[in-house]
Every structure is written in structure tokens, then in C-alpha cells.
Amino acid sequence: MSGIRAGLLSCLALALPAAAGAGETGSARHDGLLESMGASVSAYKDYMLNCGGCHRYDGEGVSRNAVPSFRNSIGLFTRLPEGREYMIRVPGAAQSQLGNAELADVLNWMVANYSPGELAPDFRPFTAGEVGAARSYRFDDVVAARRRLEARLRQLGLTPAPYLYGSN
């Protein structure tokens, strides 16, 4: 029994220093995840073919045409479950020819490249399953959905890029 106890104590002694640095490791892991998502060449190509025509290659959008910027903004939506769902269900994403895994990769690429500073510290990447569960539900009124999300984000002290569609 004392051999087992000694073995457990030595394992515990090894585990404690690792646990003490877990926050730093977690942060490094988070940064590595964002770097990996942002470096995806296939997601970049899919973004350019399916999103870049309106939101532009640099994510700036075209405000005079009511196309919102992704820069320093799109990551805010990932802070709310309904914001993540909005990103999946917005017509340009939901109705694209991309498969669920490809769309998840594009969404991850977008937030990693255009809005990493707005992501919550506990951000979790979009998955094919999450995309598949939400994308078939079309919005009755995408403008109203966006306005509700903007109001929720403002309650949290967050302001996404302006969405001028339907404004005078």
C-alpha cells in the first residue's frame, strides 16, 4: 500500500506545477487555435468565393450598400449563443453552397482574421454539427434579428459595426 501511496504522491507532485501554469498554457493554446484557424488556405479561398464579393477581401464591407464590416466587430457575435446562430443563419452563409464543415471553417477563419480581439476568452470554434443544426432555419426578418442582437450586445457594453440595411 505504501508503494501505491508513494506513487500517487509523486504523480501529485508532478501535476501541481503543471496545474499552476495552466492559465498560461490555456492562453497559449487559445492563441495557437486562433492562429491555426486564421491560417486555413481552404477557408480563405471559400471566404473569397462566397463572402468577399460583398464583405470585401479585407472584411471592411461596403457601408453605402448596407454591407457591414467584419473588422473588429464580427467576433462580438460569438459572445452570445443567438449571435453564433445569427452568423450561421444569415442568408449569405446559410444559403451558400458550402458544406457544414466548410462553413464552420470560414466562420472560424473570419473571426480569427478580422476580429480576434472581440472574442470571449472562452471562445470555442464553430463546428460542422453546430452549423448543420442551425443553418436550415431561415430568418423571417434578418434585419429584425440583427437589431435584436445589436440591442443585446449594447446591453453588454459592446457595439458591432453598423448594419444600415433598411435605414433611411
Side-chain angles (χ1 to χ4, degrees):
M1 188 64 132
S2 65
I4 293 172
R5 188 175 301 152
L8 288 173
L9 287 175
S10 64
C11 286
L12 182 60
L14 291 173
L16 286 175
E24 187 174 283
T25 303
S27 175
R29 205 172 315 129
H30 180 75
D31 292 346
L33 175 64
L34 287 177
E35 187 176 324
S36 173
M37 291 183 332
S40 171
V41 173
S42 61
Y44 166 76
K45 289 177 182 179
D46 285 337
Y47 172 85
M48 292 305 291
L49 291 171
N50 293 277
C51 313
C54 295
H55 290 280
R56 315 309 303 156
Y57 74 94
D58 59 0
E60 281 294 335
V62 184
S63 61
R64 73 177 179 279
N65 293 338
V67 179
S69 174
F70 289 150
R71 300 192 70 73
N72 305 315
S73 178
I74 194 73
L76 296 174
F77 291 96
T78 67
R79 292 173 177 241
L80 301 170
E82 61 269 33
R84 291 175 67 91
E85 187 176 300
Y86 171 83
M87 290 173 63
I88 296 166
R89 291 178 57 200
V90 72
Q95 297 172 27
S96 74
Q97 296 300 309
L98 297 172
N100 294 338
E102 294 164 322
L103 180 54
D105 289 345
V106 169
L107 294 170
N108 290 326
W109 182 90
M110 287 169 31
V111 298
N113 282 285
Y114 296 136
S115 195
E118 287 67 38
L119 297 173
D122 63 348
F123 169 76
R124 57 183 173 74
F126 287 91
T127 65
E130 179 183 14
V131 169
R135 84 185 290 184
S136 63
Y137 297 98
R138 305 278 169 94
F139 284 115
D140 291 329
D141 185 344
V142 71
V143 175
R146 170 72 183 226
R147 299 289 182 246
R148 283 190 300 273
L149 277 171
E150 289 173 345
R152 285 277 324 276
L153 289 168
R154 276 194 302 276
Q155 289 174 341
L156 298 172
L158 305 169
T159 306
Y163 180 58
L164 304 176
Y165 187 83
S167 300
N168 292 334

